[in-house]
Amino acid sequence: MRRKKIGLALSGGGARGFAHVGVLKVLAEHDIPINYIAGTSIGSFVGGALASGMSAHDIEKMALGIRWIDVTRPSFSPIALLSNAPMGKFIERHFPARRFENLKIPFAAVACDLKAEEIVVMKDEGDIVPAIRASCAVPAVFSPIRENGRLLVDGGVMSLVPIDVVKALGAEIVIAVDLISSGAGFRRYPSTAVGMLFLSAMVMLRSACENQQNKADVMIVPPIAHVRPDKLNQREDCLRLGEEAARARIDEIKQIING
C-alpha cells in the first residue's frame, strides 16, 4: 500500500519558534517522515533548516546558540526599526544548502506583497536566503525585502499557518504547528516599541489562527502563552513545551499515517 505524503506546516511566532524545534525532535525520534515543508516567518527559518539537510539535533544546537545580534541590526529605513540582513549571513554559514533546487525536502517560504494584497509563495528554484528573510520581515519591525520588483513582508499577515501552501506542494497528510493560538499571557506590558508591535500583531493574528484549526490533520499548539515573541531567554522552555505538545499527539499522528 502506498504511504501518503506527509507535509509539515510551521507557523510564525518570533522567538516562540524554539517550540518548532522541540516538535521536530519528537517527530525525528519517532521516525515520522516529512515529505514537504511550508513555513511562515520563524517557521520558514526552522523549516528551511530542516529542508536543507540539517537534523533536528543540528537545528537544536544552532538554535541554542543564536542571539538577536546574529539575525538583526538597526535599520536605516524610515519604515522599519530593524533589518534582518544578518539573518541572511547566518543562514549562509549554517544551512547545508541554500537554493531551493538543492534542498533535501521540497520547501516553501511564505511572504506577503502588501501592495498587491496577496500571498507570495517562494519555492522550486532560486536562493532561499531572501525568501526566508522576506517571510520573517514583520511589518514596521523589519525592513521589507525587495524581490522581483515587489516589497515583501512577513507571510503571517495573510497566512500564519501555511496549511494550504503545504497541501499545494503535494502533502496528503498535514501536521501543523501553531505558535499563536495559545494566546498571550504576559505578566506585564512590553517596554519597547518592538515588544508592543509584536504583542499587537499577536492579538490580531490569534483569531486568524483559530480559523485554521480544521484544515490540518493534526494541529500541535504548544502551551506557550507566557512567552513573548521578542524574547530569547525562554528558549529552553519553548523547546521543552514544543516537545511535550508533540509527544501528546504522537500516537494520533502514527494512527493517521498508518490508517
Side-chain angles (χ1 to χ4, degrees), residues 168-184:
L169 289 178
E172 298 165 287
I173 295 172
V174 177
I175 302 169
V177 187
D178 175 0
L179 304 183
I180 299 296
S181 288
S182 62

Side-chain angles (χ1 to χ4, degrees), residues 195-237:
M196 184 60 73
L197 282 167
F198 269 124
L199 178 56
S200 300
M202 286 180 64
V203 172
M204 291 186 290
L205 292 170
R206 186 178 179 187
S207 62
C209 280
E210 290 171 347
N211 291 333
Q212 296 275 320
Q213 295 284 348
N214 296 325
K215 290 188 175 183
D217 295 279
V218 178
M219 180 72 81
I220 299 172
V221 184
I224 50 178
H226 61 291
V227 179
R228 276 178 42 184
D230 61 322
K231 296 294 184 181
L232 296 179
N233 59 358
Q234 292 174 297
R235 67 186 75 196
E236 290 86 358
D237 206 19

Side-chain angles (χ1 to χ4, degrees), residues 47-127:
L50 184 66
S52 75
M54 296 181 74
S55 68
H57 175 74
D58 293 335
I59 298 171
E60 178 185 29
K61 184 177 179 181
M62 176 182 70
L64 289 174
I66 202 167
R67 304 163 298 167
W68 279 122
I69 196 172
D70 294 319
V71 292
T72 68
R73 63 166 172 75
S75 172
F76 301 107
S77 168
I79 59 173
L81 298 172
L82 302 170
S83 166
N84 63 15
M87 177 185 290
K89 300 297 183 183
F90 187 89
I91 292 171
E92 291 172 1
R93 291 196 304 271
H94 290 86
F95 287 22
R98 296 191 299 274
R99 293 191 63 82
F100 284 100
E101 304 95 308
N102 300 329
L103 298 178
K104 302 296 184 184
I105 303 172
F107 164 69
V110 181
C112 172
D113 181 337
L114 279 180
K115 184 177 180 180
E117 298 184 12
E118 64 182 19
I119 295 171
V120 178
V121 179
M122 292 160 284
K123 59 186 180 68
D124 296 335
E125 62 182 13
D127 191 340

